[in-house]
Amino acid sequence: MRKIYFDEAGYSGNNLLDNSQPLYCYLGIEDVDGKLKEKFLNLKNLHSYKTDLEIKGANLSKSVKGQKFLIDLWNTFGNECKFVLHDKKFALACKMFEYVYEPVYSNVNTLFYQINFHKFIATSMYNLFMNSDHSAEQLFNGFYQFIKNKGNESLDKYIQSCGIVETSPLYYFSLFCEKHKTEIASDIDFTDKREKFILDLTLTSLYNLLGIFSNGNSEAMEIHCDNSKPIANDKSFWKAFVGNTRIVYDTVLGSGTQLTFNLSQEPILDDSKTIIQLQVADMLASSVYQAYLHPDSDFSKKINEISKNSYVEAYSVAPVDLQMAYDEQEKQVFHEIIRLLSSSKSKKQKIEKLAEKSYNLKYYQFLRNQYIAEYIKSLN
């Protein structure tokens, strides 16, 4: 049976605007030959660290001795590791898009992702988060209260307090929220204990990495995680994967993403103080976190080079440069789309117009999918 151990660096729960910890790294390491613990203790002894004491990864990168140890760890265990890295503020921007537009256009929300409309909105919001000391937090808190109060409070005062003008995509974002507040607010049930960690990145990171580790293999995986509140809060989600040998892939978006895998049991929550393998995962995750946070140091450059094959870019959340990512025609089309979605037209009219405008984008081929036409027909 395969055994995989997971730990994190930069955890701040739902607070994705935490400036002291702007990144989040989640890393898994597989004990391929059952000798991970033995190899680690030998390496620890070689670098003159006491084998019976836990060393936190966050402290190792602060000394030359610790940096050499971390580099040796990556050289020894890098091939058995996979990790994702998230820019928290951009992750928050992406989640706000997800909770606003998806419920309203649930039948065709994949369309937004195919034309990269989600990245345009998320990047616009991310720029606000990065360029303002207080308005980003005001906007998010206003949005959070708007959802939590089931749309009974207006977003207007929050938008105005952030200094967002009518030419900004976020102005039309707020209009969209107002027009569809019932659908948006009803999509989140704050009485459900799973919603307690609505913005947390742990569960998504673990789920995505398990698909990567499985890689089409139906062999059961026994997974160990350092004590995690989001996982402990509700482990029922994982029951569907226990003993599941059928591997299913996502074909709708054409990404080929693996959606299922086989677990021997629900996630096992352990303490890194007693589980050596989790200590290794902690050290490796912390080294990546520090390397990406301070990329110009010699140590960071070495870690980034050694770990690059373990980095799962497809499931990591990193911002794009709005000016570089889209040409002027594309930006103009996206501005037209966001104004269109906030207009008073019917859903049918909006979808038809959206398809028409999106033909000007390089992803237009997807729009020929039959289900869009069927959805438009269903709105008649």
Side-chain angles (χ1 to χ4, degrees), residues 178-242:
E178 292 290 346
K179 287 181 180 295
H180 301 283
K181 58 185 179 183
T182 302
E183 292 166 282
I184 295 169
S186 62
D187 194 57
I188 303 174
D189 180 9
F190 281 91
T191 64
D192 187 329
K193 65 179 181 179
R194 287 172 292 187
E195 300 297 353
K196 182 179 180 181
F197 297 96
I198 189 172
L199 298 176
D200 188 85
L201 300 171
T202 305
L203 297 178
T204 302
S205 298
L206 175 58
Y207 172 77
N208 288 334
L209 284 180
L210 286 172
I212 294 296
F213 273 108
S214 174
N215 193 29
N217 188 339
S218 61
E219 182 181 354
M221 296 181 289
E222 179 182 289
I223 63 172
H224 297 254
C225 306
D226 193 23
N227 284 326
S228 168
K229 291 181 180 179
I231 298 175
N233 180 63
D234 180 20
K235 295 200 290 184
S236 61
F237 169 78
W238 306 101
K239 289 181 179 178
F241 303 101
V242 176

Side-chain angles (χ1 to χ4, degrees), residues 57-110:
N59 298 323
L60 286 171
S61 61
K62 298 176 182 179
S63 68
V64 174
K65 177 183 177 182
Q67 290 177 1
K68 290 180 178 179
F69 182 40
L70 290 171
I71 290 172
D72 255 8
L73 278 181
W74 270 106
N75 283 325
T76 304
F77 299 113
N79 291 335
E80 284 77 51
C81 293
K82 298 293 179 186
F83 70 89
V84 289
L85 190 72
H86 305 305
D87 182 302
K88 291 183 189 176
K89 290 183 179 179
F90 190 68
L92 174 59
C94 291
K95 283 181 176 287
M96 288 178 71
F97 174 91
E98 176 186 340
Y99 288 124
V100 168
Y101 288 98
E102 283 200 13
V104 181
Y105 290 96
S106 57
N107 296 71
V108 290
N109 57 39
T110 50

Side-chain angles (χ1 to χ4, degrees), residues 4-45:
I4 307 173
Y5 299 81
F6 294 90
D7 208 341
E8 63 203 355
Y11 179 76
S12 59
N14 280 335
N15 182 13
L16 300 184
L17 291 174
D18 182 5
N19 288 321
S20 65
Q21 297 188 92
L23 303 176
Y24 177 72
C25 177
Y26 200 75
L27 179 144
I29 180 170
E30 182 171 3
D31 192 353
V32 177
D33 55 7
K35 296 183 178 180
L36 192 159
K37 178 179 178 179
E38 178 186 344
K39 292 178 181 177
F40 172 70
L41 291 177
N42 288 337
L43 199 59
K44 198 174 180 182
N45 184 57

Side-chain angles (χ1 to χ4, degrees), residues 96 99-100 103 140-153 155 158 173 177 180-190 195 198:
M96 288 178 71
Y99 288 124
V100 168
F140 169 66
N141 287 337
F143 173 74
Y144 184 81
Q145 292 302 320
F146 171 81
I147 297 295
K148 196 164 187 177
N149 293 322
K150 300 297 181 184
N152 291 330
E153 292 185 8
L155 269 182
Y158 299 107
F173 171 87
C177 287
H180 301 283
K181 58 185 179 183
T182 302
E183 292 166 282
I184 295 169
S186 62
D187 194 57
I188 303 174
D189 180 9
F190 281 91
E195 300 297 353
I198 189 172

